[in-house]
Amino acid sequence: PDPAKKKLENRLNKSRNHVATPRRAQKKLKDVETELNKAGLDSSKVRARSMERGKRSESLLGKRKRTASVGENAEEARASSLARARSKGLPSEEVAQKLEKVRRKKMRLWEKQGKKGEADRLIGTKMPKHLYSGKRGIGHTDWR
């Protein structure tokens, strides 16, 4: 046999060296309804539940539609979404506005003093010089 063919055959067989895990068989809605009808039971609740589950999965997995209100341009939309993001975790919009006012006042003080903002603070050296200076690694002894 051709070596290339044999190699391909072996590669295909490699994926078949264990038992395939069967998928959980789900009954079709029609089958369930017919079984219930044969048993003399009402199948309308099953259909309603099935339809509800279908809708639910769509809403959870599908992308959220953006609702642009009339006369709202991109800048206003962005501002409103920022406002929503800032007020998350706070009890009310008034509290959020108060906090924002305080934050701006503090930043004004920083700006007056010419200091950096909170995001620009210095992180101290991770490798302090007094610990790392004069230490020769392996293979550097011939430097003298």
Side-chain angles (χ1 to χ4, degrees):
D2 184 33
K5 195 174 186 181
K6 188 163 186 156
K7 193 175 184 180
L8 180 68
E9 207 171 287
N10 284 339
R11 194 178 291 156
L12 290 171
N13 286 334
K14 193 183 265 191
S15 63
R16 280 190 248 138
N17 61 0
H18 57 83
V19 180
T21 319
R23 295 221 179 262
R24 276 182 64 197
Q26 286 190 331
K27 291 182 179 179
K28 298 278 183 270
L29 180 62
K30 287 179 184 175
D31 299 340
V32 175
E33 280 183 326
T34 51
E35 281 178 29
L36 286 172
N37 288 335
K38 279 182 190 172
L41 299 167
D42 183 31
S43 63
S44 60
K45 286 183 180 176
V46 174
R47 179 168 280 285
R49 184 167 181 270
S50 159
M51 299 304 266
E52 185 185 306
R53 284 185 72 184
K55 283 179 190 169
R56 195 181 319 135
S57 67
E58 263 180 39
S59 66
L60 284 175
L61 297 175
K63 282 190 175 177
R64 207 174 48 177
K65 300 281 188 295
R66 285 191 66 167
T67 53
S69 55
V70 181
E72 190 179 70
N73 61 12
E75 203 170 304
E76 286 171 3
R78 202 167 28 249
S80 68
S81 77
L82 271 172
R84 271 196 305 276
R86 281 205 184 104
S87 66
K88 265 188 184 165
L90 299 171
S92 66
E93 187 65 36
E94 291 83 47
V95 176
Q97 284 175 350
K98 260 186 195 173
L99 275 173
E100 181 64 22
K101 223 174 197 177
V102 170
R103 189 184 73 81
R104 282 198 179 138
K105 203 170 195 179
K106 284 213 178 197
M107 285 309 292
R108 205 177 309 137
L109 284 170
W110 284 110
E111 288 161 10
K112 267 187 182 173
Q113 295 167 2
K115 303 244 173 144
K116 294 178 180 179
E118 57 190 282
D120 302 318
R121 298 262 151 242
L122 176 77
I123 297 170
T125 51
K126 295 254 179 6
M127 289 175 62
K129 189 165 183 181
H130 72 285
L131 290 177
Y132 286 92
S133 59
K135 311 289 191 288
R136 287 182 298 175
I138 296 171
H140 290 274
T141 47
D142 63 342
W143 180 71
R144 288 182 215 169

